[in-house]
Amino acid sequence: MKPEDKTSGANGSYSPKFFVTQAEYDAASPEERKRFNYAVEEEATLELPKNFNMPQNLDNNE
Amino acid sequence: MSKGLSRAEAQSIALEFVESMNYQIPLDYKIRDTWKQIYGFDSVCGGAFHSAEKPGERGFVTLAANNHRSKAAVQRTLQHEILGHYMLYTYTPTDKREVIERIMASQSEPSLVDQWHKVKHHYPDKPLSIQAEELFASIAERVDITKAPDTNSDQLLDGIKDITLGSIESTVQYRLNLMRNGQLEQKTFPDTDVHSGIFIAANLERRLGEWRADHGVDKAHSPTKPLGPRI
């Protein structure tokens, strides 16, 4: 059974959200929405996080 | 060449990882087929960790499913971002600085030669502190998370003289065990990170204060000015 969503990872467990598009949410079954705790998010592209380091000379992940 | 995984496949693997961590990692997930769908430009990168900006907020991890050709590849990306970068953020800013500085001092350690070579190949233009963080994350991505920790302390903080590949692996396993038991939370945020300009400036001010106290000088003097008699 999935734990309830709690606000603090240190004091309780956390059921993460999986952000999906409205189309993906609509296409998913109720079981899938619940299993993955889907949350609909606007489909705007993100900026890279400020702590992200873009690697060079990278091969595709095997 | 085998094709990449689908969003649905990568999502299932991510949920398995969450389950293996006992739902104790307070991060959300944004998984798309391509990196371009997430960030608007093409890349073969696997994913990224977006930190919370301050306590009480929630960070998240992105994954570009098509850039992974196997379940193991997704697992490595998750471990890199979460057991690497997020885990370093569960240190206080001061402790993270100490960990990073100790890793920076390990460039001639024989057991870490391969890792340093790879990190310098992938991040050639980055400062040494960033390369040290990426070295930690690259080791974290290959740690066996099913293995019990072989130590009951943080090897990177507990006074061991020289950092080795083994001591970094042991630290990751020790801390992921704490994470699974809900004993870790994020304590460093981007503005308090050892790599941030704000932290560097604050740290410099602190060290300047210590220098002044050690030398019995007031704020009017700077370490660059000689303290000889006025002429």
Side-chain angles (χ1 to χ4, degrees), chain A residues 3-4 7 13 16 18 23 26-29 39 43 45 51 54-56 58:
Chain A
E4 291 298 309
T7 55
S13 53
F18 282 80
D26 292 342
S29 67
E43 195 57 7
T45 53
N51 55 309
M54 180 63 79
Q56 299 177 32
L58 204 59

Side-chain angles (χ1 to χ4, degrees), chain B residues 84-153:
Chain B
H85 295 297
Y86 173 73
M87 184 179 279
L88 282 171
Y89 269 14
T90 62
Y91 285 107
T92 63
T94 303
D95 283 348
K96 182 179 173 181
R97 187 193 69 194
E98 185 176 336
V99 166
I100 292 294
E101 286 177 348
R102 296 199 74 198
I103 296 173
M104 286 163 65
S106 72
Q107 290 180 85
S108 55
E109 161 56 36
S111 65
L112 290 170
V113 162
D114 282 349
Q115 281 74 20
W116 273 112
H117 177 75
K118 282 179 196 163
V119 156
K120 287 183 183 293
H121 176 65
H122 290 311
Y123 305 95
D125 302 325
K126 293 293 182 184
L128 189 56
S129 64
I130 296 280
Q131 291 177 344
E133 169 145 355
E134 292 299 338
L135 184 135
F136 181 93
S138 73
I139 292 170
E141 74 183 56
R142 298 203 182 245
V143 159
D144 181 354
I145 66 170
T146 64
K147 212 171 122 179
D150 57 8
T151 178
N152 57 3
S153 68

Side-chain angles (χ1 to χ4, degrees), chain A residues 10 14 38 41 46 56-57 62, chain B residues 11 23 28 38 73 121-122 182:
Chain A
Y14 179 74
Y38 279 163
E41 194 185 56
L46 298 173
Q56 299 177 32
N57 313 310
E62 56 185 82
Chain B
Q11 199 168 260
Y23 292 89
D28 296 319
I38 305 171
H121 176 65
H122 290 311

